[in-house]
């Protein structure tokens, strides 16, 4: 497993990150950041790393309150600006001026907002299963998550996330074990906060080449939100995975990575076919 690194954010929280780099040592490889979904951590990209790290210097960051990053106190404000600050402060620490930004689900919320706030630092944006804000319907999850526990809630609603007919049962079990590693109170707070956000009216300001990979049978976002991305992001490519629920990044990782690499080849001429 790649060694974990940490740094102290400007507000005192500890942020964990990983560097995966199997690019040619005589080339200066482009940098790609990977941001994971809510309730996950950077390990969720285990199946993405081999192909992407051959062509990009990969930086995987655990969002605050997730994985090996610290859980901030309930009294400390949780804001999208602060989540974006964490990414920018890691860039500064590693002396990275520009990068490609790739993200899954809630990680895509942070990625989209960074593309809006710091356009000069984001060369491209690729999001998988990520709409411009979490549906307010997610607020109905929170009482069940608190009363039943996160694992029982996710087990009972697992068909919202995985096509059980085609997904290895081991993947589902691992997903449930991994999500259980997070602080449940913070996860509820994080989801509740994300469900209050919507930036559809700002999508036209995303200037970089953008790839949106969406589940054709999305159960967490809404078709309306994806249509807003299609209509308002100026330089966008939309790819739908027909009949699939939310967790396409886990169910079909090789397909996601192949589409992301093809997008980069088309837009930037790298990696070369």
């Amino acid at each position: 497993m790649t060694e974990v690194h940490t740094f102290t954010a400007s507000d005192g929280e500890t942020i964990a990150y990983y560097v995966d780099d199997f690019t040619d040592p005589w080339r200066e490889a482009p940098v790609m950041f990977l941001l994971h979904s809510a309730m996950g951590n950077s390990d969720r990209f285990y199946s993405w790393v081999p192909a992407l790290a051959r062509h990009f210097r990969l930086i995987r960051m655990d969002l605050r309150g997730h994985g090996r990053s610290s859980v901030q106190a309930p009294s400390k404000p949780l804001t999208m600006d602060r989540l974006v600050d964490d990414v920018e402060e890691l860039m500064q620490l590693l002396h990275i001026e520009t990068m490609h930004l790739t993200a899954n689900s809630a990680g895509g919320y942070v990625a989209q907002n960074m593309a809006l706030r710091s356009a000069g630092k984001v060369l491209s944006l690729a999001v998988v299963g990520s709409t411009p804000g979490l549906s307010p319907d997610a607020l109905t999850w929170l009482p069940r998550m608190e009363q039943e526990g996160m694992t029982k809630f996710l087990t009972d609603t697992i068909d919202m996330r995985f096509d059980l007919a085609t997904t290895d049962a081991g993947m589902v079990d691992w997903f449930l074990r991994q999500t259980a590693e997070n602080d449940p109170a913070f996860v509820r707070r994080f989801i509740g906060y994300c469900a209050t956000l919507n930036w559809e009216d700002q999508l036209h300001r995303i200037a970089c080449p953008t790839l949106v990979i969406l589940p054709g049978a999305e159960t967490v976002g809404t078709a309306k939100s994806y249509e807003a991305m299609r209509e308002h992001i100026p330089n966008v490519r939309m790819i739908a995975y027909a009949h699939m629920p939310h967790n396409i990044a886990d169910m079909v990782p090789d397909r996601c990575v192949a589409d992301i690499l093809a997008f980069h080849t088309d837009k930037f001429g790298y990696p070369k076919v």
Side-chain angles (χ1 to χ4, degrees):
M1 179 177 289
T2 307
E3 178 184 0
V4 60
H5 304 276
T6 61
F7 75 99
T8 302
S10 57
D11 69 341
E13 297 298 332
T14 298
I15 305 297
Y17 68 97
Y18 307 80
V19 179
D20 308 288
D21 187 352
F22 295 91
T23 60
D24 295 330
W26 61 90
R27 302 180 192 274
E28 186 173 349
V31 173
M32 178 183 287
F33 270 57
L34 293 180
L35 303 180
H36 61 81
S37 61
M39 300 185 284
N41 61 50
S42 294
D43 291 346
R44 289 278 287 284
F45 287 117
Y46 76 91
S47 52
W48 291 42
V49 167
L52 290 178
R54 180 66 186 91
H55 304 288
F56 298 89
R57 183 185 178 207
L58 282 186
I59 313 295
R60 293 179 288 136
M61 192 189 83
D62 284 346
L63 301 179
R64 59 176 49 217
H66 294 76
R68 294 167 182 84
S69 293
S70 60
V71 178
Q72 66 182 57
S75 58
K76 183 178 288 187
L78 178 64
T79 68
M80 184 56 71
D81 277 340
R82 181 62 256 180
L83 293 165
V84 173
D85 286 343
D86 292 342
V87 180
E88 294 202 9
E89 289 175 14
L90 179 53
M91 289 182 71
Q92 184 176 17
L93 174 74
L94 299 178
H95 306 289
I96 296 169
E97 294 184 1
T98 59
M99 50 72 159
H100 299 280
L101 190 49
T102 301
N104 174 223
S105 195
Y109 306 159
V110 182
Q112 291 174 62
N113 278 275
M114 181 162 181
L116 288 167
R117 192 181 88 175
S118 304
K121 297 180 180 180
V122 182
L123 298 173
S124 72
L125 176 66
V127 294
V128 179
S130 182
T131 49
L134 180 60
S135 169
D137 291 345
L139 294 172
T140 65
W141 305 349
L142 304 184
R144 290 188 60 186
M145 293 175 74
E146 183 171 13
Q147 295 163 14
E148 304 169 10
M150 193 157 63
T151 298
K152 186 176 189 307
F153 167 76
L154 289 172
T155 300
D156 291 347
T157 59
I158 200 66
D159 58 348
M160 287 179 59
R161 299 180 176 277
F162 292 94
D163 177 0
L164 299 180
T166 60
T167 304
D168 189 317
M171 161 61 76
V172 176
D173 290 342
W174 180 74
F175 166 81
L176 292 170
R177 291 197 307 273
Q178 201 210 35
T179 52
E181 294 173 1
N182 291 297
D183 180 88
F186 182 84
V187 166
R188 293 194 301 272
R189 183 184 180 195
F190 185 87
I191 291 172
Y193 172 65
C194 289
T196 68
L197 304 176
N198 187 293
W199 51 91
E200 286 186 15
D201 62 344
Q202 298 298 311
L203 290 173
H204 66 280
R205 295 177 43 235
I206 296 180
C208 62
T210 300
L211 172 66
V212 178
I213 303 177
L214 60 121
E218 176 66 277
T219 46
V220 174
T222 65
K224 175 180 175 293
S225 293
Y226 286 120
E227 283 306 308
M229 300 175 90
R230 185 190 305 276
E231 292 174 10
H232 298 301
I233 299 176
N235 187 1
V236 67
R237 173 179 298 177
M238 308 285 293
I239 301 177
Y241 291 2
H243 312 301
M244 289 191 180
H246 184 67
N247 281 48
I248 52 177
D250 302 300
M251 290 187 293
V252 285
D254 295 338
R255 182 177 176 184
C256 290
V257 169
D259 283 333
I260 290 166
L261 290 175
F263 166 76
H264 279 268
T265 297
D266 183 49
K267 295 295 184 181
F268 301 95
Y270 179 89
K272 295 188 181 298
V273 176

